[in-house]
Amino acid sequence: WERRLEASGIPPRYRGASHPWAPRLAERIAAGDGLYLHGPNGTGKTTLACAAALICLRNGMGVRFAVATKLLDELREFGQDQRGLLESLAACDLLVVDDLGKEGAATPRAAEKLFDLFNDRYNSQTLAHPRPVLVTSNFPRGNVAARVSQGGAGVAIASRLKEMTEAVEMGGEDWRKSC
């Protein structure tokens, strides 16, 4: 379990995450549904995503977690290491991409590689082997294109996400401010 948890990339802070919606989201993910959780800072998007991912991991799914800004940093220079990273993220059972849209200044090359990732998952889906994604963002799906890149890659990513995910808005106050 510890090796699988470490390999998932779920941050240590969230390895004990729980959320009342997580079991239902995990069921939907296991059925092949992708989800796009969006809303203001501090509304529990990452906690919910990680709690659902942990359930999926316990149920035998291969899970990979990536923060969008760090992922794009890794994809800016594209070599053998990045190719292996993209292949592993494209092939896992569940891909969690946290904080999509905060990268704002993605280079065209990094945005293209991010598109390749979503496109590979999109094109490799079958009824027998879905490739769900669980995305968190402060921005609605319609804003993804402008947030990721000014070029066609952002538009294409937004288009894939619209078909691959159901949008779930998470509202409320920033719980961190009340701490």
Side-chain angles (χ1 to χ4, degrees):
W1 166 253
E2 290 299 322
R3 275 189 307 235
R4 291 183 68 227
L5 183 58
E6 187 67 31
S8 74
I10 295 171
R13 172 184 185 89
Y14 294 102
R15 291 183 183 171
S18 64
H19 192 286
W21 298 353
R24 178 66 184 125
L25 261 61
E27 286 176 16
R28 298 212 32 218
I29 291 164
D33 296 336
L35 297 152
Y36 184 93
L37 310 176
H38 65 98
N41 289 323
T43 56
K45 299 176 299 292
T46 301
T47 298
L48 174 55
C50 288
L54 286 166
I55 293 169
C56 292
L57 190 64
R58 285 187 205 287
N59 290 337
M61 290 180 76
V63 174
R64 289 297 305 271
F65 178 97
V67 176
T69 52
K70 289 183 179 181
L71 179 59
L72 282 170
D73 277 347
E74 292 180 45
L75 297 178
R76 285 185 207 286
E77 297 297 323
F78 196 70
Q80 193 59 37
D81 290 343
Q82 290 78 12
R83 198 175 342 272
L85 172 65
L86 275 178
E87 289 172 1
S88 71
L89 294 175
C92 66
D93 295 323
L94 170 63
L95 174 62
V96 180
V97 178
D98 192 38
D99 276 330
L100 184 65
K102 285 190 178 167
E103 60 282 344
T107 65
R109 179 85 171 149
E112 288 170 8
K113 293 300 145 196
L114 187 60
F115 165 74
D116 287 345
L117 173 59
F118 284 112
N119 193 54
D120 286 351
R121 292 188 69 81
Y122 176 81
N123 285 331
S124 66
Q125 293 183 92
T126 66
L127 289 176
H129 200 126
R131 298 264 190 241
V133 293
L134 178 52
V135 176
T136 71
S137 180
N138 291 123
F139 310 99
R141 281 186 308 201
N143 293 15
V144 167
R147 300 295 306 178
V148 171
S149 78
Q150 297 302 317
V155 172
I157 290 168
S159 175
R160 296 297 187 278
L161 287 175
K162 185 168 183 178
E163 185 173 341
M164 295 171 66
T165 63
E166 178 183 335
V168 177
E169 184 172 5
M170 296 185 67
E173 296 296 316
D174 183 339
W175 67 267
R176 291 183 199 103
K177 288 183 179 179
S178 64
C179 293

